[in-house]
Amino acid sequence: MIDEIQRLETDGVARIGAAATLDDLVAADRDVLGKKSALNGLKRGLGGLSEDERRTVGAALNAAQQALRAAVAAKRDELTASTRLAEAEAERLDLTEVRADRDAGHLALITQVIEELEDIFVGMGFIVAEGPEVEDDWHNFTALNFPRHHPARDLQDTFFVGLGGEREVVMRTHTSPVQMRLMESQEPPIYAVVPGRTYRNEATDATHLAVFHQIEALVIDRGITFGHLAGTIDRFIKVFMGPGYATRLRPAYFPFTEPSAEFDVQRPDGTWLELGGCGMVHPNVLRNGGIDPEAWSGFAFGFGLDRLATTRQGIPDLRELTSPDIRFLQQI
Ligand code: PHE
């Protein structure tokens, strides 16, 4: 009988182990341990045995039942875990989406032009400098040889800022105030370019912006001549615009340079574009910057970047430069 119980336990453990699903396991549990199971049949037959036999067989039956219950519990744990895994796998949601092309933006045209010009001038031995966009009267006008009531101030329609004394603080009307800041902060020789934003109280149209960009150049060294100025301008225009472009200087007036000139660029089709102003740094300006005009001389020029950028790119209207229209931006 003990052998019989052993066999039933071994078979039962095998049966339980073979269950592939929780339903299989319920059926196996019933067959092996249920009321109608062989094991239970043996239990019911215990009454017909002698006291001694009943004790041994009873103990063997209990041990077999416990072993089988443990097998069922272990199998149930195993099947529950794998069922959960299968469910999770089946219900899994992929929330990522892969797009073939990402739309990457790019630098604004003006920023591209500034970086390119910086490279050209750095290649010629210049440093790149910056200055504040909100300026005081001294740097924007007075130190640049525009006395208080000088009519040349009217050429630069100015936005005044409500700070300090009357008309004391301005949105800088050009990048020339940085000439003064450079002279104040370093000893000559100075070879510097200054790109930046500038402001004038102008009605906006295809060729004028109230907020625009300039790049200034300042050179101060011993023995600097007008020839150096003309050569530098012609060189950077040919490098930046291409060999088909030429330059010319026309006499002009600026309070902070003497002599002064305007410089124009000739397009390959022969037409001229007015680009900026230039000249030899005025002795008063050198003195205001703490530099001895007997020992040093220099040139300066400043021109509008917006026109240069649109001319090279063939954009007919300066206002396009701030256009948010994606169809325009994609062409740059
Ligand atoms: N600052 C002048 C302007 O904005 C241009 C200029 C710069 C002229 C340097 C001479 C020298 O019109």
Side-chain angles (χ1 to χ4, degrees):
M1 209 167 184
I2 300 287
D3 285 351
E4 167 80 0
I5 294 168
Q6 269 301 323
R7 195 185 51 78
L8 285 175
E9 183 184 327
T10 314
D11 288 358
V13 167
R15 170 85 208 275
I16 290 159
T21 65
L22 285 168
D23 286 346
D24 284 354
L25 184 62
V26 170
D29 186 7
R30 193 185 48 230
D31 293 350
V32 175
L33 284 162
K35 273 204 187 102
K36 292 180 187 158
S37 65
L39 219 51
N40 212 38
L42 289 178
K43 216 173 181 179
R44 271 200 303 258
L46 276 182
L49 297 177
S50 73
E51 174 118 18
D52 261 3
E53 275 178 329
R54 209 186 303 157
R55 202 172 294 124
T56 8
V57 174
L61 277 174
N62 275 338
Q65 262 178 336
Q66 260 166 32
L68 289 166
R69 280 198 198 105
V72 168
K75 190 68 188 176
R76 182 175 297 120
D77 285 352
E78 185 192 316
L79 288 175
T80 312
S82 60
T83 309
R84 276 213 202 99
L85 214 68
E87 278 171 4
E89 202 50 53
E91 289 171 10
R92 190 169 139 174
L93 266 185
D94 183 0
L95 297 176
T96 59
E97 184 180 6
V98 178
R99 290 183 55 197
D101 288 310
R102 286 228 202 119
D103 300 332
H106 59 72
L107 294 175
L109 180 58
I110 286 293
T111 309
Q112 294 178 31
V113 164
I114 288 176
E115 290 189 350
E116 216 178 301
L117 286 170
E118 285 177 358
D119 280 351
I120 293 172
F121 282 106
V122 165
M124 294 198 282
F126 287 62
I127 60 153
V128 178
E130 284 186 334
E133 291 177 20
V134 181
E135 261 299 2
D136 52 35
D137 173 273
W138 170 255
H139 290 95
N140 196 81
F141 290 124
T142 306
L144 292 173
N145 211 25
F146 288 86
R148 272 270 161 201
H149 300 289
H150 196 286
R153 289 196 178 202
D154 296 343
L155 297 174
Q156 308 205 349
D157 301 299
T158 308
F159 287 118
F160 294 95
V161 179
L163 287 173
E166 201 190 335
R167 303 198 155 201
E168 241 337 288
V169 178
V170 302
M171 298 307 290
R172 68 176 177 194
T173 56
H174 49 177
T175 42
S176 300
V178 191
Q179 287 188 32
M180 288 314 303
R181 293 190 175 274
L182 282 162
M183 291 185 224
E184 284 164 5
S185 64
Q186 58 200 73
E187 298 292 320
I190 298 173
Y191 290 79
V193 280
V194 185
R197 201 166 286 149
T198 45
Y199 302 81
R200 286 193 202 174
N201 187 3
E202 297 219 46
T204 297
D205 62 27
T207 53
H208 295 88
L209 297 175
V211 179
F212 57 107
H213 299 80
Q214 289 190 336
I215 191 164
E216 190 89 7
L218 175 68
V219 166
I220 296 176
D221 206 338
R222 296 186 198 275
I224 294 294
T225 69
F226 206 87
H228 294 125
L229 166 61
T232 305
I233 289 176
D234 198 62
R235 183 80 204 128
F236 95 77
I237 287 294
K238 290 213 160 70
V239 174
F240 182 76
M241 298 297 277
Y245 288 78
T247 57
R248 77 174 172 200
L249 301 178
R250 283 179 292 116
Y253 171 76
F254 297 100
F256 41 98
T257 44
E258 179 61 33
S260 302
E262 306 237 34
F263 68 91
D264 305 332
V265 170
Q266 189 175 34
R267 304 183 183 92
D269 67 4
T271 58
W272 290 93
L273 168 73
E274 230 182 274
L275 208 57
C278 61
M280 301 307 289
V281 181
H282 196 290
N284 288 349
V285 173
L286 289 173
R287 267 190 290 271
N288 287 335
I291 293 171
D292 177 5
E294 301 301 327
W296 304 91
S297 59
F299 70 75
F301 61 80
F303 59 86
L305 290 178
D306 309 84
R307 282 185 201 175
L308 194 71
T310 49
T311 299
R312 195 173 71 158
Q313 206 76 26
I315 299 167
D317 191 322
L318 285 184
R319 290 168 295 189
E320 293 283 15
L321 285 174
T322 49
S323 164
D325 188 331
I326 197 84
R327 292 164 301 181
F328 167 74
L329 290 171
Q330 276 167 348
Q331 294 172 42
I332 292 174

